[in-house]
Each structure stands twice: as structure tokens, then as C-alpha cells.
Amino acid sequence: MTSADAAVVGAGPNGLAAAVTLARAGLRVRVHERAGTVGGGLRGAALFDSDVTHDLCAAVHPMAAASAFFRAFDLPARGVRMLHPDLTYAHPLDDGRAALAHRDLARTCDGLGADGPRWRRLMEPLVHRSQGVTDLLLSTQRTPPNPVIAALLAPRILGNRLRGNGLRTEDARALLSGVAAHAVGPLPSLPSAAIAVLLGHLAHATGWPLPQGGSGRIADALLDDLRAHGGTVQTGHHVTDLAELDTPVVLLDTTPRAFADLAGDRLPPRARRALLRFRYGPGAAKADFLVSGPIPWANPEVGRAGTVHLGGTHAHTLAVERAAAAGEATDEPFALVVDPAVTDPSRAAADGRRPVWAYAHVPNGDTRDPVPLLTRRIERYAPGFADTVLAARGVSAAAYEHYNPNYVGGDIGSGAITLRQSLLRPVPRRHPYRTPLRGVYLCSASTPPGPSVHGMCGHLAALDVLRREFGVRSAPPLGPPAGARDHAGRETV
């Protein structure tokens, strides 16, 4: 095996971001991936038909448009087109109404009636300082924050936690609680409030785009850059012990539990106990549908949205999210639905067949088949949807862990989004990516800033490695060089 300066275990977005950062600094990097392909949450597959690709995990990528890592990496310059829907997200209600979040803030406010001015006061200052807001919330959570940004965020996070930021109409309250539910945990809470203002304002700033051709295009771009800078990848290799890795530095895109297993008796007992106290959150149950045409939403406006939240009223969203966090299964869970061809028509076959992506928030380890659960959930707001379904595949929360061991019990966030685990993820340490074992680092979503496809856990961990292990104080440039080519061999700049 070729010698290397650093090994990365796990080729999800964070593992690849770490590997790219290290390789760009001139290190020889080797990546080990258990699955047959790289990507983790960025994989796609033709599940039912060779003409239609389904996103196996993430489908919509607000953080890939906003995070500091991807801003520097510059996906569009690498041929990855980030497409924006006409309508960022929608939240249908039972009486045929729907709350709508447009990319245009003014248009959103116009549609919210009496709550329009309140929505503007909540979101507009964040939109104007969006990069600072995003960089603070996607940081290590260990350094003093920008005081201006902190002063902007604090009342909005506290206000959302305590009184919903003064929103009074059902449309606006549902619109905000649907975004807060991306925390996948009990509502309301301070972490979910932070996620609500982060994702909520991004809907009117850099947007919630989809990569043309599917999420795998992002993984392809990362892999191409890694290889262009000398990095190597070994897929189909399940690392079971740190002793297998003959490098002075190891970065683990794994959960704390998996790290404890890999370390074995090398790990001091106290450190092991701390890692095993790390909590995992509710699960996600996933259904992939092959359908004959667009989803027949009762409110046609919903059919223009890139993302649809099925949570019903504000009160219902809070109730079912609390139930899932408490381990209680419900028949009407909060669900997210994406019809990628709405934003990217190339995702539909010539005869109209297209993928539909759907998640339900369920108790950790839930074993129920999500296909009937999600079919009923969509049918409630889109009568006749079941008649369009040509094929379907369900992955229960329990089964999701088999697809990706980082999704413990179906927890796609790789750790519960609690206040403690948001600020002190994964354990209370000044340097969150370091472990008690010299040269061994964690870089998964179990580290700050947490879940989503932003690459920041891996990037920030790699910067710590460069400083501590190699004396490199400045971040390497991440943008594509002149004459770079995309995954299909086309010149991009």
C-alpha cells in the first residue's frame, strides 16, 4: 500500500472535504470507504429504471450554496450547476391553503398577510448579513463570535424558542415550524430555533438549490479534486481497527461510538465513557418513489416548490416532533418531500417518469416500512398521488444504519441536536476534533457544526490537523485551477 501522510476513514461529504483540504496543502492523503462508492449522504442510484436517478440521502443543498468550504471550493466553476426552484419551500395546510417561502423576501411577506411585516423584521437583517450569520452558525462553536452577528441572532433565536418571534397567523407559524423541524428533535428548543433562522433566512438569500443531475455530482467534484492533487481512495474497505492504518495522522468521518470501537483498548476508560455518552436523535425513514408525473398537490402552488414540508398546523408539527423524540410512533409524522424534476427537468425521463424523494421523522430505531406511511402522508395533501406511483422502495430508520453506520438508529444527523450537543459536540473539549489518541481526529457530523452537506466538519478538522501536526497556519486555496475539468472531462473554467 502506498505510504501517506494522512488517512481519512469515510468518504462522506465531511471525509471528502477533509481529504481535499489536506491534499490541497500538499499532503499525501488516502481515503478508505466501506461502501463501493464514495459520497455517503451524496450518493445517487437508478433504483427502478436506468433513466431515472434517485438521491439516496440528501437531495436539496442550502449549505452547499452557503458554507465557507463550498464557497471557496466553488462548485459552479467545476461544472456543478446549482439550480433554484421558483418557490424555495412550501407548507400545505388541510383546508387547501399553503404557506409559501419564495426566494424573493418581499413576495413571501406579501403572501403572509398580517404576518408579512413580522416575517420581514425576522429575516431581512439576516439576509443582509447572510455570510456572517452562516459562518457563525457553521463554526467550531469554540471561538468568540462576531459580536454584531451574535447580537443579530440572539433575540431571534430566543424569540423563536419562547414565542415564535411574534408570528400570529397559522400560515407564518407553520412556515417557521416546518424549517425548525429540520433539527429532527423536540420543538421548540434553542437549537431548533437556530436552525430555523439559519435555514429560514437562506431561503431568501443563497437559496435551497439542487445540483443538476443529482447530489452525486457534488461528490464527483470533490473526488475529482482530491485525485487531481494526488489523493487516493480505496472503496469497499471496511476499517475495523486503527492498527490497519499505517499513517501518522488519521481523520475519522465516523460517530463517537464507531471511534470507540476502532480504538479498542487504546482509548482511556474515562474518554471511552464520555464518547459513549454521546446521544443520538430521532430517526429518518426514507421512501423513494418512481412516479408517472408531477405530484398532484391539492394546491397547485405547492407543485412549484423545491421542498415541501408536511407538518400540518404549527401545533401538529410540534406535537409529532416531540413524540418522535420521546420514542412514540405516530401515523402522521412530519415529512419532507422533494420532486427533483420540478427544479431540474433533466431528472425526468422522456415519457414523464420521475423520482420522488420523501423522509418521515420517526423514533430512533423505528422498523416500520415508510412507503405506506409516506404515501398516506402525501395523499392527504395530494389526493391521487398513489395512482401515479409505478414503484417504491422504503428504508426504515433501523435499516438506514445498515446503509450508513453513522446513521445510528436512523439518526441522519449523527447525533441528537440538543443544546449541549450543539455547543459541546461531541464531548466538552476546547479542540473538538482532537481525541485522546495523538494523531487521531474526528471529522464527522458528530463534530461541530453538525449535520448537513456543508463540508465544514471535515474542513475545520483538517485545518486543525494542518496546524497541530504539520505546522501549517494558513488555509490552502480550494478553488479550481485554470483549465480544470469536471467529472465528465469538460473544461469548466
Side-chain angles (χ1 to χ4, degrees):
M1 185 176 291
T2 304
S3 62
D5 300 307
V8 178
V9 178
N14 286 307
L16 289 173
V20 163
T21 303
L22 296 176
R24 282 302 195 102
L27 270 63
R28 297 166 299 171
V29 182
R30 186 169 64 241
V31 179
H32 303 267
E33 170 54 47
R34 171 179 176 269
T37 58
V38 304
L42 292 173
R43 296 189 188 109
L47 296 175
F48 312 109
D49 189 293
S50 60
D51 293 332
V52 178
T53 298
H54 296 258
D55 295 308
L56 299 183
C57 290
V60 181
H61 297 284
M63 300 307 177
S67 81
F69 172 77
F70 278 114
R71 291 198 310 266
F73 190 72
D74 198 350
L75 286 167
R78 299 169 184 278
V80 182
R81 292 188 61 198
M82 302 299 283
L83 306 178
H84 292 269
D86 292 337
L87 191 63
T88 304
Y89 67 96
H91 192 119
L93 298 163
D94 283 333
D95 57 6
R97 297 196 331 272
L100 308 175
H102 300 268
R103 183 123 183 246
D104 186 326
L105 177 60
R107 191 173 177 188
T108 303
C109 295
D110 288 344
L112 291 176
D115 265 336
R118 298 183 187 95
W119 193 270
R120 182 184 294 278
R121 286 195 296 272
L122 173 63
M123 297 297 180
E124 190 170 49
L126 303 176
V127 171
H128 289 327
R129 293 182 177 270
S130 183
Q131 184 169 314
V133 169
T134 303
D135 287 349
L136 173 56
L137 293 177
L138 297 185
S139 70
T140 65
Q141 311 301 327
R142 302 296 200 276
T143 56
N146 179 319
V148 174
I149 300 300
L152 196 64
L153 283 169
R156 287 166 170 80
I157 292 172
L158 290 170
N160 188 52
R161 168 65 179 87
L162 298 174
R163 60 183 185 279
N165 278 301
L167 299 173
R168 299 172 186 171
T169 65
E170 185 55 57
D171 286 29
R173 286 166 64 83
L175 202 62
L176 193 60
S177 62
V179 182
H182 283 249
V184 196
L187 300 178
S189 69
L190 287 174
S192 69
I195 288 172
V197 296
L198 173 60
L199 287 176
H201 98 273
L202 286 177
H204 312 300
T206 48
W208 293 13
L210 286 75
Q212 186 177 43
S215 296
R217 292 295 309 282
I218 298 176
D220 290 343
L222 291 165
L223 180 60
D224 286 348
D225 191 82
L226 174 62
R227 286 175 167 163
H229 290 85
T232 60
V233 179
Q234 183 179 9
T235 56
H237 179 205
H238 183 196
V239 176
T240 59
D241 193 300
L242 291 176
E244 299 174 41
L245 306 170
D246 59 346
T247 57
V249 173
V250 175
L251 290 88
L252 302 172
D253 186 4
T254 69
T255 63
R257 180 187 298 181
F259 164 52
D261 290 341
L262 288 168
D265 59 10
R266 303 173 189 82
L267 199 61
R270 183 176 178 182
R272 176 180 294 278
R273 288 193 297 271
L275 291 166
L276 296 182
R277 281 196 296 268
F278 187 77
R279 293 173 52 199
Y280 299 90
K286 172 82 171 345
D288 293 293
F289 299 96
L290 178 67
V291 299
S292 58
I295 299 173
W297 299 108
N299 185 319
E301 286 292 288
V302 177
R304 298 173 45 237
T307 302
V308 180
H309 296 150
L310 303 184
T313 64
H314 166 77
H316 182 79
T317 297
L318 266 58
V320 296
E321 288 296 277
R322 289 170 181 163
E328 301 168 6
T330 66
D331 292 330
E332 296 185 328
F334 181 84
L336 297 93
V337 179
V338 177
D339 177 350
V342 167
T343 306
D344 178 6
S346 73
R347 298 290 295 275
D351 63 0
R353 288 171 297 114
R354 57 208 282 157
V356 166
W357 173 106
Y359 268 137
H361 293 171
V362 298
N364 189 284
D366 192 280
T367 59
R368 290 176 297 169
D369 180 359
V371 169
L373 188 69
L374 282 161
T375 300
R376 289 193 302 270
R377 204 77 185 99
I378 297 171
E379 276 269 340
R380 179 165 183 167
Y381 303 99
F385 169 72
D387 295 334
T388 72
V389 176
L390 303 173
R393 182 196 75 153
V395 181
S396 70
Y400 236 149
E401 187 173 349
H402 298 297
Y403 165 76
N404 187 335
N406 281 7
Y407 300 164
V408 176
D411 175 6
I412 57 175
S414 297
I417 307 298
T418 64
L419 181 59
R420 176 183 174 85
Q421 288 194 176
S422 295
L423 298 177
L424 298 174
R425 203 173 178 92
V427 295
R429 292 176 65 95
R430 181 183 175 189
H431 300 284
Y433 311 103
R434 300 178 188 179
T435 76
L437 304 183
R438 186 60 195 257
V440 179
Y441 294 74
L442 281 172
C443 68
S444 71
S446 299
T447 65
S452 195
V453 177
H454 44 60
M456 291 302 295
C457 306
H459 178 58
L460 292 169
L463 293 181
D464 193 19
V465 166
L466 290 173
R467 285 190 298 269
R468 188 187 190 203
E469 306 290 343
F470 299 97
V472 178
R473 299 293 174 183
S474 57
L478 297 173
R485 295 182 178 274
D486 66 17
H487 194 69
R490 298 171 296 221
E491 190 165 322
T492 60
V493 291

